[in-house]
Amino acid sequence: MTGRDDGRRHTDVTAPGHTDSTWARELLDHLRPTGRDVARIVDWLGVTVDAAVSLRDGNGTPLAGAPTPLDEGLVTDLATGRLASASWEGDGRHLRMIRVELPPPAAAGVLAVARTAPFDRRTADIVAHTAAALELLLRAQRTAATGHRLARATSDLRLAILQLLMVEDTSAARRVAAGLWPGLLDTDTACVYVVESSPADRDRLAEACIEATREQSLVVRCPAVDAHVIVVTPRDTAGADLRALCHRRHDTFLGGSARQSLAHTAAAYGQAVSALAVARFRPDKTAVYAERTHPERLMDPAALGAWTSRLLRPLDALAHHTRAELLATTRLGLEFTAVSAAKVLGVSRNTVRARMERVENLLGADFSDLAARAAVHLALNTEACLTEACPAGDRRSPAATPARLVDLLTGPALRTWAHDLLARLDADGRDLRGTLRAWIAAGGNAERAAQLLGVHAQTVREHVRGAEPVLERRLLAAGSDLYEVVLAHLVTGALGPPGLHADPRPGPSPGPRPDPPPRPDGHQA
């Protein structure tokens, strides 16, 4: 017999060991966040009413439970909405079917409950309430899935904007951002912050950063480091907001850049990562990139600009887009590993390496040599500063006497800076200075440096790691901090200059300048 079922044809019989509220509490438990599972609810219903239970869509595809033979005509009536529920009795079997709304693309499904005993009032109530609970759960899952897809798309869009900024394509970045975040990048300058927590907590940290900056910043889950969240913000108050966030959260650290041109987001990102390394040792867990005395500020500006122009001149013949792409990739590749740079840029690591190899060939630089990397890094930063200071016109006037890198490193102020920096290492009882010099000469390879020094590679690593807090610079990770230390070695003559196309040598190049004798206080002059 088929037809509509009002659920009131049987007397109310309570099964032994159950009360009217027990099943309701159990069903409610299945709807709690930790227990939301359609298959488990269907299984629970089968045990509770001593029945075979199945859930299927209108096409007969099983969704949960063991498949049950059903009248397909009746299933069609339920799936199309002609019937809300139906029952069938015969051959010693009692069957109840209820229409259940399903997430798209399916319109509706059928919950089928088959048992040998008739459906009393209590059993009918349990079935009806379970069907309603399944509908609520499926609707919640659909809403959650839609929310997850939207959140994922928004996250991907934020990453795409960051990647455009990293390659200095600010116009495209503004166009992409304008649709969802109008006015976000309507700025010439911005700061970059890197917030660090545990990888497991990063999603919550990213949401907290969005809330802390009032959705007026570009917040991106770093594609290269699982524990990092990158924040690009034009707001002056964002730094204070993020510092307050770090103070409230356990094991959360913040590194920030100096304010930079939006086109120099990659350089600002490097500054933020450098500051983050300092923040890990500070009580307040935050640090902003220190405006310390950088070596390029102690060089003759005209000579430095002319040398930079000559070094990068082979790139000028390239199309503007290609040149900018190569420079942006090389800048990131010198700051981080090829793998990390690839993740940040959204390209393969082979693409990063190919672009950097092309720059190597054009500039005549060997990037396995840390001195060459430091020299090219110096040129890229100098050009970025020149571009910002003079964005239009020809800003690279050739000097009357071409300067070489060794000429740039001879100024008295620069020599004082270099000697004072490296002299910090002399206070340690270990030979940190000698180990660091050998490690740099070996291209940052601990094994090769160990062979030169006749020590174990682990000793080299420990000495380099021990030099980091003394110099207040990251050394084991490539980047600006390391290249400053390399330049200091070039200035003191502890290392010879790298071979570059821009450094013609008309005569014999000067030999390494020995370090001056120590002062009475133990420091170098």
Side-chain angles (χ1 to χ4, degrees), residues 101-152:
E101 295 288 342
L102 296 178
V110 175
L111 177 68
V113 182
R115 61 199 304 258
T116 57
F119 284 85
D120 52 49
R121 182 189 298 274
R122 172 184 173 278
T123 306
D125 284 346
I126 294 174
V127 173
H129 281 84
T130 302
L134 286 170
E135 277 195 349
L136 288 173
L137 178 58
L138 290 167
R139 190 178 304 152
Q141 289 178 341
R142 177 181 61 189
T143 303
T146 301
H148 288 318
R149 286 195 297 271
L150 179 59
R152 178 69 182 181

Side-chain angles (χ1 to χ4, degrees), residues 124-424:
D125 284 346
I126 294 174
V127 173
H129 281 84
T130 302
L134 286 170
E135 277 195 349
L136 288 173
L137 178 58
L138 290 167
R139 190 178 304 152
Q141 289 178 341
R142 177 181 61 189
T143 303
T146 301
H148 288 318
R149 286 195 297 271
L150 179 59
R152 178 69 182 181
T154 304
S155 178
D156 291 345
L157 187 59
R158 288 192 177 103
L159 176 58
I161 295 170
L162 176 67
Q163 289 168 342
L164 289 170
L165 292 175
M166 287 291 189
V167 296
E168 304 181 13
D169 196 346
T170 56
S171 298
R174 289 189 177 103
R175 286 196 301 270
V176 174
L180 288 180
W181 304 284
L184 175 65
L185 297 180
D186 290 348
T187 178
D188 293 327
T189 61
C191 291
V192 175
Y193 294 90
V194 176
V195 193
E196 180 182 77
S197 185
S198 65
D201 191 48
R202 185 170 69 162
D203 287 346
R204 288 186 293 271
L205 177 62
E207 293 300 323
C209 290
I210 293 173
E211 181 178 352
T213 57
R214 301 169 181 83
E215 298 189 9
Q216 296 179 22
S217 301
L218 180 67
V219 179
V220 181
R221 293 164 179 81
C222 179
V225 183
D226 291 340
H228 287 183
V229 173
I230 303 170
V231 181
V232 182
T233 177
R235 297 175 58 243
D236 292 329
T237 59
D241 295 334
L242 293 172
R243 280 192 290 272
L245 173 65
C246 290
H247 294 161
R248 295 193 302 268
R249 296 175 62 92
H250 180 63
D251 291 339
T252 301
F253 305 92
L254 173 70
S257 75
R259 182 166 285 274
Q260 294 274 7
S261 165
L262 201 61
H264 301 154
T265 300
Y269 173 51
Q271 290 182 353
V273 172
S274 179
L276 181 64
V278 177
R280 297 190 187 102
F281 301 99
R282 289 193 172 179
D284 63 355
K285 304 181 298 181
T286 67
V288 175
Y289 188 71
E291 283 300 325
R292 60 194 181 213
T293 301
H294 299 292
E296 61 268 23
R297 297 181 181 178
L298 302 175
M299 301 177 188
D300 183 314
L304 177 59
W307 173 80
T308 296
S309 172
R310 191 169 64 256
L311 177 64
L312 300 181
R313 187 167 296 147
L315 295 167
D316 294 345
L318 304 174
H320 174 75
H321 173 75
T322 301
R323 184 182 190 276
E325 184 178 69
L326 290 178
L327 290 182
T329 302
T330 303
R331 187 176 290 114
L332 278 177
L334 292 176
E335 287 285 349
F336 308 99
T337 65
V339 174
S340 296
K343 290 179 179 178
V344 171
L345 293 172
V347 297
S348 71
R349 61 185 177 182
N350 289 335
T351 298
V352 171
R353 287 170 178 149
R355 291 175 183 175
M356 293 186 69
E357 285 176 4
R358 187 176 181 187
V359 172
E360 278 185 290
N361 293 331
L362 288 170
L363 304 186
D366 178 8
F367 285 163
S368 65
D369 178 7
L370 285 180
R373 292 173 72 94
V376 175
H377 184 267
L378 171 66
L380 294 179
N381 283 348
T382 301
E383 199 208 31
C385 294
L386 291 173
T387 302
E388 185 172 3
C390 186
D394 184 6
R395 55 188 176 276
R396 294 178 298 209
S397 302
T401 303
R404 297 176 299 163
L405 179 61
V406 291
D407 300 325
L408 298 175
L409 305 180
T410 57
L414 190 62
R415 285 181 57 79
T416 299
W417 165 83
H419 284 298
D420 287 346
L421 176 64
L422 298 182
R424 300 180 192 177

Side-chain angles (χ1 to χ4, degrees), residues 503-514:
D503 281 346
R505 292 181 173 83
S509 54
R513 296 183 297 274

